[in-house]
Amino acid sequence: MTQKRYAKPLPPGSLGLPFVGETLHFLHSMKTNRPWEFFESRERKYGPVFKTHLFGSPTVVVNPPDGLKLIFTNHNKLVRGSWPSSIRKLVGERSLFFMEGDEAKRFRHILLAFLGPEALQRYVGRTHAMIQKHVEENWIAGGEIKAYQSVKEALFAVIYDLFLSLADEKEQQELLEPFRVVLHALIELPIDFPGTAFSKAMAGRREIMAKLDRMIEQRRLDLQSGKASAQQDLLSVLLVAKGEDGRGMTDEEIKQNIVMLVLGGHDTSSSSLAIAIKYIAENPSCYDELRKEHLEIAASKKAGEPLSIADVRRMKYTWRVVQEGMRFVPPTTGVIRRAIVDFEMDGYTVPQGWQLFGSMYQSNKKEKFFPEAESFKPDRFLGTGPVPYSYIPFGGGPRMCPGYELAKVQDCVFLHHIVTRFKWSLCDPDEIVQMAPLAAPLKGLPIKLTSNPI
C-alpha cells in the first residue's frame, strides 16, 4: 500500500514487522504496566495522529476530541465496530459486540429489556442484599482484606444472581475460573497452540458454553412449567424477549451475549471500583465528602430497608469519585473501529479496511483537557464536565456500552456499604496497577480496615 493511491498522504508512523506489526510492543507496554508509553512515545515522534499495526491490521491512532467525535458520530457511515480476532473468537460472532445495522439495533432492544434504567429498578434490592452479605462476612474491622479480590468475588456473585439466578457458591467458582482464563487472553495473539494462553482460553470458553447449554435447557423447562418467571434474570429475559421485528435470540446468541456481558459487566466494574477504593484511601477529604453523602442516604432509610434506584441516583458525588478514578486509571486502553470507506481525517487519508484506535491515554492525563491532571478532583465532573469526546470510559454514540447503568449501580451500592462501616488505608501505597488486560492492582489491593459505623 503506497501513499500515491490517495489525494492525502497516510499518517506518519511505522507498521512494524510483517503480520505482527507493533502488537508485541503494545502488549509489552501493558504487561510492564506502562501502556501509556506506547502512545506517548509515538505521539512525540509522529504527532497526535499516527499509523501503526495492531492485532493483524494497519491502524490509525486518532486524536481526541475531534478524532473520537468523528468515529463515534459516523458509525455505519465512515466506520463500524472492530475488535481483535482474539476477542471475536473468544466472545463469539453472534454477540452484540460484532453486530451492525438493523441486527445490532434488534439485539440492543432485547438487551435493554434487562439493562435499561427502568428494568434495573427491579434488581437494585437484590444487588444491595448480596453486597451487604459479602461485606458483613468478609470485611472485618481491625483486619486486612485484598479489596480487589473481594470486589471481584462480590460482583461475580451479583452478576450470576442477576444473569442466571445462580446462588450456589460452588457453581459460581466453577464458572469464575474459566472466565478468568478467557479474560486474560482477550488481547493475546490468537495462536491456538497447546500451552498458549489463547489455547487455554478457548478450552475455558468451551467449558463455559457447555454449562450455559445445560442452564438454558433447564430454564426453558422451568419457564414452561411456571417455576421461573420471564423477568427473573437476564437468562429468562433473553429466552422470552423479542426484538422490534418480533424475533428472539437463538441459544447460541444467548450464550455469546451472556459471555459478553459477564466480561464487560463484571470485570470492568471490578476494576473501576477497586481503583475508586484506592484513590479514596489516598484522599481523606474525598472520603469525608463521600461518607457525608451516604450517611444522609442511610438516615433516610428505615431499619433494614434496602437501597433503591432512587437512592443510587442520589449518589452523585459517589459517581464523580468513580469517574475520576477511571480517568486516572482507565479500565480499558481504548476503542477500536474499522474504516468502511476511504476518508480524510486531520489532513491524512484513512484507507478503507484500516482500523482506528482511540486511546484513553491521549486525553485522560493531559492538562488541556483536565487542568491539574495529576490531582484527584471528582468535582471536575460537575456541571457539563470534561470536553466532549475527551473522556470515554463507556464509549460513545450509538455503540455506547449497554451495561453503563448496571455498572453504576454495582459501584455505588458497594461503596455505600463500606463507607458507612469503615475507614481504610493502603497496605502498600506503591502497589502497581497492571493492565491484564483490564486495570487490576498487582497484589489485589490489600487495605487495613478501621471501624467507622453510623
Side-chain angles (χ1 to χ4, degrees):
M1 183 172 292
T2 67
Q3 295 187 23
K4 295 179 182 179
R5 286 185 51 194
Y6 308 109
K8 299 288 184 179
L10 296 174
S14 171
L15 297 180
L17 299 171
F19 179 67
V20 297
E22 294 191 308
T23 303
L24 296 179
H25 294 173
F26 178 70
L27 293 176
H28 177 74
S29 73
M30 294 184 70
K31 292 177 179 179
T32 55
N33 310 313
R34 304 187 68 81
W36 56 88
E37 288 188 347
F38 178 89
F39 300 99
E40 289 180 353
S41 62
R42 286 154 180 79
E43 187 174 348
R44 286 194 298 269
K45 187 173 183 180
Y46 303 118
V49 179
F50 58 89
K51 68 175 180 281
T52 180
H53 192 288
L54 297 174
F55 306 107
S57 180
T59 302
V60 175
V61 176
V62 305
N63 65 316
D66 294 340
L68 290 173
K69 180 179 180 180
L70 183 145
I71 65 175
F72 284 137
T73 59
N74 285 278
H75 199 83
N76 281 337
K77 298 175 185 176
L78 302 179
V79 302
R80 62 178 47 179
S82 180
W83 300 85
S85 59
S86 54
I87 295 179
R88 188 176 290 272
K89 291 178 180 179
L90 288 170
V91 176
E93 297 277 354
R94 300 302 300 166
S95 72
L96 183 61
F97 274 168
F98 309 116
M99 293 181 180
E100 299 291 343
D102 290 342
E103 188 174 47
K105 183 179 179 183
R106 178 173 73 90
F107 273 61
R108 195 176 186 90
H109 178 82
I110 294 174
L111 289 177
L112 287 178
F114 174 82
L115 291 170
E118 293 183 7
L120 283 175
Q121 295 184 47
R122 297 191 296 269
Y123 307 120
V124 174
R126 286 164 65 177
T127 301
H128 166 96
M130 297 193 72
I131 290 176
Q132 181 180 45
K133 179 176 182 289
H134 176 87
V135 171
E136 288 176 348
E137 291 179 352
N138 296 279
W139 290 56
I140 310 299
E144 294 181 6
I145 189 169
K146 290 188 175 181
Y148 177 62
Q149 300 303 326
S150 174
V151 163
K152 282 185 70 70
E153 291 174 8
L155 296 192
F156 194 81
V158 169
I159 285 292
Y160 271 91
D161 178 64
L162 299 185
F163 285 12
L164 299 166
S165 296
L166 187 64
D168 184 86
E169 291 186 9
K170 181 180 179 182
E171 289 183 291
Q172 290 177 4
Q173 289 299 319
E174 288 175 354
L175 275 170
L176 180 59
E177 179 58 22
F179 267 112
R180 185 192 66 78
V181 172
V182 169
L183 172 70
H184 284 273
L186 284 178
I187 60 169
E188 293 287 342
L189 290 173
I191 302 172
D192 196 358
F193 187 80
T196 64
F198 185 77
S199 178
K200 294 175 183 176
M202 288 298 290
R205 181 184 190 273
R206 289 190 291 272
E207 184 179 347
I208 292 166
M209 292 305 193
K211 291 180 183 296
L212 290 178
D213 275 328
R214 294 192 291 272
M215 292 179 185
I216 288 171
E217 181 181 2
Q218 184 60 53
R219 179 60 58 83
R220 189 171 275 121
L221 293 173
D222 290 344
L223 286 167
Q224 291 171 356
S225 66
K227 292 180 180 179
S229 73
Q231 302 295 331
Q232 178 172 314
D233 54 21
L234 176 64
L235 179 57
S236 282
V237 169
L238 297 187
L239 282 166
V240 173
K242 307 294 182 185
E244 293 176 332
D245 59 358
R247 289 188 292 148
M249 287 185 174
T250 66
D251 287 2
E252 190 61 31
E253 289 165 346
I254 289 171
K255 290 186 295 182
Q256 292 185 17
N257 280 281
I258 287 175
V259 170
M260 175 194 77
L261 289 168
V262 169
L263 293 172
H266 169 257
D267 290 291
T268 54
S269 291
S270 298
S271 174
S272 63
L273 184 50
I275 297 305
I277 291 171
K278 168 182 165 63
Y279 282 104
I280 292 165
E282 294 178 351
N283 294 272
S285 62
C286 171
Y287 172 87
D288 292 340
E289 184 69 21
L290 193 66
R291 182 170 165 86
K292 177 182 176 183
E293 178 171 87
H294 286 277
L295 290 182
E296 290 176 357
I297 292 171
S300 71
K301 311 296 289 183
K302 297 177 182 177
E305 182 184 358
L307 293 170
S308 67
I309 194 70
D311 296 320
V312 173
R313 289 171 180 158
R314 291 173 61 190
M315 299 177 188
K316 299 185 184 300
Y317 183 76
T318 306
W319 187 238
R320 294 200 297 273
V321 168
V322 176
Q323 288 178 297
E324 180 71 338
M326 289 189 290
R327 182 186 69 83
F328 262 80
V329 184
T332 62
T333 54
V335 296
I336 303 176
R337 298 291 187 266
R338 188 172 298 277
I340 54 179
V341 295
D342 292 349
F343 63 89
E344 181 185 333
M345 181 180 68
D346 287 355
Y348 301 111
T349 291
V350 177
Q352 179 182 2
W354 279 39
Q355 289 183 152
L356 295 100
F357 194 108
S359 167
M360 315 288 188
Y361 296 103
Q362 287 187 286
S363 59
N364 282 16
K365 293 285 190 76
K366 290 188 175 177
E367 291 286 329
K368 67 178 180 179
F369 298 120
F370 299 96
E372 300 180 64
E374 292 303 318
S375 298
F376 191 81
K377 299 178 67 175
D379 283 347
R380 72 174 77 246
F381 290 93
L382 272 169
T384 58
V387 173
Y389 302 103
S390 66
Y391 178 78
I392 54 166
F394 296 98
R399 304 290 291 194
M400 188 168 178
C401 174
Y404 166 81
E405 292 287 347
L406 178 60
K408 186 174 182 178
V409 167
Q410 291 177 328
D411 288 359
C412 288
V413 170
F414 200 104
L415 287 173
H416 175 82
H417 282 294
I418 61 174
V419 82
T420 54
R421 288 173 168 82
F422 307 102
K423 293 187 73 170
W424 58 90
S425 58
L426 302 177
C427 294
D428 181 1
D430 298 320
E431 182 180 7
I432 291 170
V433 178
Q434 62 179 352
M435 298 297 293
L438 303 180
L442 185 62
K443 298 178 182 178
L445 195 65
I447 58 175
K448 174 78 172 179
L449 299 172
T450 303
S451 178
N452 193 21
I454 296 173

